[in-house]
Amino acid sequence: MPEIKVTPLGAGQDVGRSCILVSIGGKNIMLDCGMHMGYNDDRRFPDFSYITQSGRLTEFLDCVIISHFHLDHCGALPFMSEMVGYDGPIYMTHPTKAICPILLEDFRKITVDKKGETNFFTSQMIKDCMKKVVPLNLHQTVQVDDELEIKAYYAGHVLGAAMVQIKVGSESVVYTGDYNMTPDRHLGAAWMDKCRPDVLISESTYATTIRDSKRCRERDFLKKVHESIERGGKVLIPVFALGRAQELCILLETFWERMNLKAPIYFSTGLTEKANHYYKLFITWTNQKIRKTFVQRNMFEFKHIKAFDRSYADNPGPMVVFATPGMLHAGQSLQIFKKWAGNEKNMVIMPGYCVQGTIGHKILNGQRKLEMEGRSTLEVKLQVEYMSFSAHADAKGIMQLIRMAEPRSVLLVHGEAVKMEFLKGKIEQEFSIDCHMPANGETATVLTNPSVPVDISLKLLKREMALGGPLPDPKKPRTMHGTLIMKDNSLKLVSSEQALKELGLNEHQLRFTCRVQLQDQKPEPETLSRVYTHLRSVLKGSSVQLLPDGTVMVESILIKVSSSPEDPDTKTLLLSWSYQDEDLGSFLSSLLKKGLPAALC
Amino acid sequence: MAAHLKKRVYEEFSHVVQIPQEEAPAKKLRLSKPSKSAALHIDLCKATNSTDALQYLLQFARKPVEVDSVEGVVRILLEHYYKETDNSVRLKIASLLGLLSKTQGFRPDCIVDDAINTLNNEKSHQVLAQLLDTLLVIGTQLPESPAVRQRLIEMACKHLADTYFGVRNKCLKLLGFLGTMDTSLTKDSEGQGTSSGGARDVQTIISDYFGDQEPRVRTAALKAMLQLHERGIKIHEIIYDQACRLLSDDYEQVRSAAVQIVWVLSQLYPESIVPIPSSNEEIRLVDDVFGKISHMVSDGSWMVRVQAAKTLGSMLQVSPHFLEQTLDKKLMSDLRRKRTAHERAKELFTSGEFSSGRKWADDAPKEKLDTNTVNLIASGACGAFVHGLEDEMFEVRIAAVEALSQLARSSASFAEKCLDFLVDMFNDEIEEVRLQSIHVLREISTHITLREDQLDTVLAVLEDSSRDIREALHELICYTNVSTKECIQLALLELLKNLNKYPTDRNSVWKCLKFLGSRHPTLVLPLVPELLSTHPYFDTPEPDMDDPAYIAVLVLVFNAAKSCPTMPALFSDHTFRHYAYLRDSLSHLVPPLRLPGNGLDLVDSRCGSGSVESAQLFLQQSLNRVSTIQNLEAPGAQDLLNFTIRDLQRLGELQTELAGAADFCATYLRCQLLLVKALQEKLWNMAVPLCLKQNVTATAAAQQILEETYKLEFLYSGLESRQVATIHHVRLQAKALQLILTARSRQGLDPLISSCEKFLLDIESFQRLFLAELPHLEDSFVDKLLELLPRLSSCKPVELVKILQSTLRQSGLLQLPLPEQIHRATATIIEPTGESDNPLKFTTGLVVALDIDATLEHVQNPQNTVKVQVLYPDGQSHVIHPKPGDFRKPGPDRHRLITQVYLSHSAWTEPSQIEVRLLLGYSSSSTSLSSSSPASKLGWSDSMDGLPPPEVAVEGTIPFSKPVKVLIMPKPARR
């Protein structure tokens, strides 16, 4: 039985460091190559030594596919390709290819320049790595080689995020990357056709959550901001540079437009500006509204949102500032926070999750006095709000995608083990399909039942067609007789005569014979005629003949009666049928073994 | 033939000198028949290869064919068809046959045999499909011939087994269009061994193809079934299971059609019971279907989602239990049950504490869920609308909102439940969706009372910069019920904020407060002291009467006071004074109040409810009185008319409901009066040469009557054909008068002859238009004229004038039947107000845009008729057609024109006023009866294409709004 093997090097029962190896139909594919945010040591990157202890990866991998530009999905890419060594193709979508190097460079800067790590990849390595990238378009089927083909689907989540279908022959795997089934202000919902893959590898970040309507959250968010602005307060929104920030910008921008508000909105500069540029370019990857209106005005050309300058923080009057980083642990957002924390009119809105230990986490938990470095304390008087804007599919969304794609089995990654367990149970219960959740380094094997394409000779097909109705009924499988020839790595179904001819063989007849003992006092001819009448009454549909030479013919089956002189009462029925009539023949023999019905005696 | 024709032509020429116009085309027609088909024949014979033949056929198809030559053409085409070997040519011929049989007046039964014959001999699948299409056309052209129909159906059944999907498609389509209930067919025509044979009806045959391997055929089968349903044939319930299976088809068009068919079944058999698979429960079919279609709301294809969402709205028989599930979405977080934001809001509200903002763990999940009970893919209807409203495509969202509204209108409890969701939609990113949900909320607002937090969300939208949204919201607030006095205060506060931010919304906000006040008098009562800022001990300063915000508050209070007699006691002195002022200046917003010690009681009693009937009676009596006038020359007649007109005008002022009718009658009587006066002048007895001077008044009168009749016809809506006939009658009289006056002015014979002809044409068209009304016009001017018509048309102009003169003077007053509902079209320009002293300055030669905001009432088709006129001080005037998109329709019989007109002028030395007014355009060719006919629509669509509107008959405009003056100042360009 052919099988598909899936081994997560990262993201198996875990979030972060997504890296999944798939071998399908003799091809090895690496899905994503991410880093782990939580570690600063070797555990940061996937363990590539799993693939090979020494040497380059090129000969072991047929291709690498990156689903989107988040660092936990692409952060280890230069390390793998340049430092471990991989020269094969790397596939990603156009926006990912554009934005990925910016993030990688930023990541490199922080690690090398700020933290002073050595033995890290360099800018040149990032460039070299990006040279190996082959861009993908949505719904475009790309032949990696003769047998392996991949196709990208829209995934929502962030700009350019894609789900990938990997296909070898009739076996296929779909890897979802991160995806979002509910549309948001700048991206649409993930979509997939009924491609019925053998394995669907799905993320499961929110395996046990069903989220409230997005609209409620948006409305709350806008109301909070609006109220604060009307009071004359300043609003700080700490964000990470890419992804949610754009969504919130669009949200605020349209709201400002709708409500005719005048208060300034600032966005702290940095890599965002570059990224915003790409958002403007890749309009086709955004949602319906932005796509439709960009002719009049590109939504990412913000009218109300301007670049932030450090000095603006002291300006009087209301304003909204988006500042990085998102957890208030360092940088600009923290500086602004310190300035504004003292005024109760001001507000800080945390749009995402905060790691323990960060200031964000502290203030969300209601801490009002913060100890800063240098023994000073900071009184927090401003309002603290929490608004979750997450772009992962929730449990319902995951189920919806499974329903859309109709896979033969599901494999969960990118989530916590306990939560996966729950979802796994649900999937098995609802769809009655297998569900796997391998841990890192553990291999899940899925048996497949690929259909094998066979050439059929037209003559044979037509002959078989003539026997049945003019149209094949797709609901009922039909058996047909033919000979399968395997020759030169190809399969062919031909009629037996042709097969014999091609192979230069003689035809052999195969006949089965069978003896049935029958207790009957009557003479032979009479027994025969009784068998005849019996068979006629039983086999209404087929022709039963009594031949003059003392045999009964049922279709092509011969029945003879003989009796031994020693025991005239015991008659022996001789049945003989050819191989083609096996069904009928065995039926007859079992029928006659039961004896003749008494009524005929 | 030709010789004969020639002879006939010569004969005719020798007979009459003037050839009647109609003869010419008739002759042409006779000639064209042989030539057309012959030409085609020759062309086709000439064609050496298939491409040529195809070219000829294509050219031929561009020209229309007359009815009587169709058959000939068909024969030639068929003849060629048999000879043709090329598939594409045969295909084109087949399609031409279909086109030809569509010709109006042609009965295609003669070509049925041939068509069927060709079908039997055809080998190419594409041509076969086209031929079946042709048969379908023939079949639909012959709806009353069962024999043909039967044959066609048999043909279709025979070809259903074709291997090409197109042929099967067309066969199914044919069955759908022609199949009937009683046709039982035998399908054993081919020896394919199906022993079932026997009689099978069309539905069974079609439903067999639900399982076809080709998706297009499956779609066609479903569509054919729908077609059967549309033709009134009851679809069997047996196909339900099959149809349900198709809901999960791989192809979207199949799923979409399946949704429709399943819906049809749910409407046909709502109460029948179906089992739930994998359990032994049973539910009603309509509920089952509802569940299944709800499932389709999260389909992969947005077309199907739209279809499903739309369909849900029309399933009103569904059980409430199922209905409410569509809004259900159980939230959980980390396996613990979580309340939705809606629930939290509600809880906060009921616990008496208002939302204080969200805490970090505010939405922290509560109880632990049992993993087994959590249903992730909710079976059935669960959360269908939650999904639909959050969909990516706004089409789906709009469909879902509409469906919600339909369901909510029929179920009060559902309306209550869907409120939160609708309110959420106010925040959609697409304006259309926001607007739609506001409208929907207004429609269902009779069922619901808004909670404070909901109202808060609703009111937040008041700051929207889109005027449409704000006005829709004002409209909504007019109809909403709120529960507490805090709500009223909140609403007032937000409305005042709105007023402050967008001063142009003044009228709309006032109106909104008027309804808010009259709806919730008891809730306003405790707020009164605060609103009017009165103090028990101290006198407060008198507020500024011109402050729109203060007026808004007063409007709210006064309207509440109308049904709350205790309220006026809380008013301070200046409030009463302000009341008197506002009652006068804004009488439509401020109701009459029963105030102590005020003479206003009088007004109150007069405007009581009974007064409409009495006014109606008065109107009728006045008209009856006028109808007693037999002879217009009777001495008291003129006085009576004068008085009646005066009475009617006053009545119109007093009773707004009857203003239209009263005005209408008064105008009509004025026409009569003018006519009488014109006829009574002594000039008629004088000799022609002496009366040149007096002519002037009579001519002016005739002109005025004409104008008035146009006003009567086009300015009033709700006219019946009786009234229109009467109006036209008056117009005819005026024209007769004009004719007589022309004759007397002796300007020569030629103009007289032409105007006589014109007049005769007028009479004829009158007769044609109002044939049905003629019995009512007995003894009238027209009646007499029609009697004399044969003589009139042959006599000389001078004689005609004499006859006219005598008939005109003898004719009596035609009584005006009072129509049921009659309204005068009115327009009020709200913006510009004309109060501004600041001139609009702009540079000469460039344009300046002037915002115009006007309400139109009782105007039909304002897109076609309403124009803006700009009059410059130097007498120049411009007429501007507003874009059709500038008209909105906030209510029945009400339109709103919000547009910009562009002004430009050469330099002035100082600011000067221009006048802006609205005009109602009309064209006499389209009577008001047919004003909504496609003809006028055509005119509109023409002008869309940039063509000038077709010039027809008399085009004119009636000013129907008060002119507004705007100061403008074009400055010379600076260099």
Side-chain angles (χ1 to χ4, degrees), chain A residues 139-157:
Chain A
H139 303 178
Q140 174 199 14
T141 308
V142 175
Q143 293 294 145
V144 176
D145 55 36
D146 287 345
E147 287 154 357
L148 176 64
E149 60 182 51
I150 56 177
K151 182 178 172 185
Y153 291 94
Y154 191 74
H157 190 62

Side-chain angles (χ1 to χ4, degrees), chain B residues 159-174:
Chain B
H159 285 93
L160 264 179
D162 200 282
T163 46
Y164 179 59
F165 79 92
V167 178
R168 274 177 284 156
N169 258 357
K170 298 286 181 195
C171 287
L172 286 167
K173 201 173 165 195
L174 193 79

Side-chain angles (χ1 to χ4, degrees), chain B residues 628-756:
Chain B
T628 53
I629 307 174
Q630 289 300 323
N631 190 355
L632 284 173
E633 303 195 348
Q638 286 198 21
D639 287 338
L640 182 59
L641 278 177
N642 265 327
F643 287 129
T644 318
I645 290 169
R646 201 198 57 201
D647 283 354
L648 288 175
Q649 275 172 344
R650 182 74 186 130
L651 178 74
E653 282 163 24
L654 287 177
Q655 200 68 49
T656 42
E657 287 91 338
L658 290 173
D663 269 0
F664 182 71
C665 296
T667 318
Y668 175 71
L669 293 179
R670 198 177 312 119
C671 288
Q672 295 289 0
L673 188 67
L674 281 168
L675 194 65
V676 172
K677 277 188 181 158
L679 287 172
Q680 263 188 353
E681 288 204 23
K682 301 206 173 59
L683 69 103
W684 303 103
N685 306 325
M686 273 185 248
V688 175
L690 295 175
C691 62
L692 262 178
K693 206 178 163 198
Q694 279 93 334
N695 255 350
V696 180
T697 45
T699 320
Q703 192 56 44
Q704 199 185 344
I705 297 171
L706 270 184
E707 273 169 25
E708 295 281 336
T709 56
Y710 284 121
K711 272 194 198 168
L712 280 176
E713 189 176 348
F714 296 105
L715 206 52
Y716 295 89
S717 60
L719 296 184
E720 291 153 23
S721 67
R722 271 290 283 289
Q723 282 95 38
V724 181
T726 323
I727 295 164
H728 275 245
H729 182 246
V730 179
R731 191 177 301 159
L732 211 55
Q733 281 176 316
K735 280 181 179 165
L737 186 65
Q738 267 184 331
L739 184 61
I740 299 166
L741 289 168
T742 334
R744 286 174 74 96
S745 68
R746 293 201 312 167
Q747 279 168 341
L749 207 58
D750 282 349
L752 188 58
I753 289 177
S754 72
S755 45
C756 278

Side-chain angles (χ1 to χ4, degrees), chain B residues 713 721-733 735 758-778 780-786 789 814 927:
Chain B
E713 189 176 348
S721 67
R722 271 290 283 289
Q723 282 95 38
V724 181
T726 323
I727 295 164
H728 275 245
H729 182 246
V730 179
R731 191 177 301 159
L732 211 55
Q733 281 176 316
K735 280 181 179 165
K758 240 173 107 184
F759 184 71
L760 286 175
L761 279 180
D762 281 339
I763 298 179
E764 271 168 30
S765 69
F766 181 88
Q767 191 184 8
R768 210 172 45 241
L769 275 172
F770 302 105
L771 209 57
E773 300 296 328
L774 281 179
H776 299 294
L777 301 172
E778 224 166 278
S780 66
F781 173 65
V782 129
D783 196 38
K784 283 171 196 157
L785 278 188
L786 286 177
L789 195 59
L814 196 62
T927 64

Side-chain angles (χ1 to χ4, degrees), chain B residues 9-272:
Chain B
V9 170
Y10 278 132
E11 260 171 26
E12 275 165 5
F13 269 98
S14 66
H15 257 281
V16 197
V17 183
Q18 275 182 317
I19 318 161
Q21 288 292 300
E22 298 84 59
E23 203 63 5
K27 262 189 295 180
K28 230 177 173 174
L29 200 92
R30 289 183 69 84
L31 280 169
S32 75
K33 181 189 162 188
S35 73
K36 185 112 190 195
S37 41
L40 177 70
H41 183 63
I42 293 162
D43 278 349
L44 285 179
C45 292
K46 260 198 304 192
T48 44
N49 55 20
S50 54
T51 339
D52 280 356
L54 206 56
Q55 278 306 321
Y56 288 130
L57 286 170
L58 282 171
Q59 270 165 22
F60 174 74
R62 283 192 203 114
K63 287 169 269 176
V65 178
E66 295 81 7
V67 174
D68 13 359
S69 54
V70 167
E71 197 172 345
V73 174
V74 168
R75 293 279 158 240
I76 289 165
L77 284 176
L78 279 171
E79 199 179 306
H80 197 76
Y81 180 92
Y82 292 123
K83 281 187 280 182
E84 185 58 55
T85 48
D86 188 80
N87 282 347
S88 52
V89 177
R90 285 213 306 280
L91 186 82
K92 186 63 201 166
I93 292 179
S95 89
L96 272 180
L97 287 182
L99 267 179
L100 285 171
S101 18
K102 260 190 218 160
T103 317
Q104 205 107 58
F106 173 68
R107 285 191 51 80
D109 29 2
C110 42
I111 58 170
V112 173
D113 284 319
D114 295 286
I116 290 178
N117 203 11
T118 50
L119 195 65
N120 285 336
N121 298 330
E122 185 56 56
K123 290 281 177 296
S124 155
H125 294 299
Q126 272 96 344
V127 182
L128 221 76
Q130 187 59 53
L131 278 173
L132 281 163
D133 222 16
T134 307
L135 282 185
L136 173 62
V137 173
I138 294 174
T140 39
Q141 292 293 101
L142 298 167
E144 67 287 333
S145 139
V148 173
R149 174 178 292 239
Q150 187 63 33
R151 281 183 65 193
L152 294 182
I153 290 173
E154 270 164 27
M155 288 313 294
C157 290
K158 198 172 138 199
H159 285 93
L160 264 179
D162 200 282
T163 46
Y164 179 59
F165 79 92
V167 178
R168 274 177 284 156
N169 258 357
K170 298 286 181 195
C171 287
L172 286 167
K173 201 173 165 195
L174 193 79
L175 286 177
F177 271 96
L178 300 177
T180 44
M181 199 59 184
D182 48 326
T183 39
S184 51
L185 300 153
T186 49
K187 208 205 166 187
D188 49 3
S189 42
E190 305 108 53
Q192 50 164 273
T194 44
S195 54
S196 59
R200 292 147 42 86
D201 68 312
V202 182
Q203 291 197 27
T204 333
I205 295 174
I206 293 179
S207 60
D208 279 353
Y209 286 83
F210 283 2
D212 199 275
Q213 57 179 357
E214 168 67 46
R216 283 168 284 195
V217 178
R218 291 200 291 273
T219 318
L222 287 166
K223 291 250 167 78
M225 205 55 123
L226 284 172
Q227 186 62 40
L228 283 183
H229 169 73
E230 255 164 51
R231 287 175 46 231
I233 295 170
K234 195 165 187 186
I235 299 177
H236 302 318
E237 205 189 328
I238 325 159
I239 64 159
Y240 179 66
D241 282 336
Q242 277 177 296
C244 286
R245 239 173 284 136
L246 287 183
L247 283 176
S248 52
D249 199 275
D250 280 9
Y251 292 82
E252 59 175 340
Q253 69 266 45
V254 182
R255 292 200 298 271
S256 174
V259 166
Q260 287 178 45
I261 201 113
V262 167
W263 174 78
V264 164
L265 284 169
S266 82
Q267 300 300 303
L268 288 175
Y269 308 96
E271 296 303 325
S272 70

Side-chain angles (χ1 to χ4, degrees), chain A residues 465-532:
Chain A
M465 280 255 287
L467 289 177
L471 278 179
D473 187 348
K475 294 283 155 64
K476 284 182 205 146
R478 209 157 79 187
T479 50
M480 60 188 293
H481 292 283
T483 312
L484 192 69
I485 303 179
M486 293 168 78
K487 211 159 120 188
D488 314 330
N489 212 2
S490 75
L491 296 173
K492 217 159 67 173
L493 190 67
V494 294
S495 62
S496 43
E497 296 88 46
Q498 199 187 338
L500 287 170
K501 213 163 79 189
E502 252 177 61
L503 301 174
L505 297 173
N506 288 326
E507 190 177 354
H508 294 275
Q509 280 267 343
L510 188 65
R511 282 192 89 83
F512 297 95
T513 53
C514 169
R515 286 162 181 271
V516 179
Q517 303 279 336
L518 208 64
Q519 293 298 325
D520 197 19
Q521 283 91 7
K522 306 273 166 53
E524 284 170 30
E526 213 165 305
T527 316
L528 193 71
S529 72
R530 282 179 51 208
V531 167
Y532 170 67

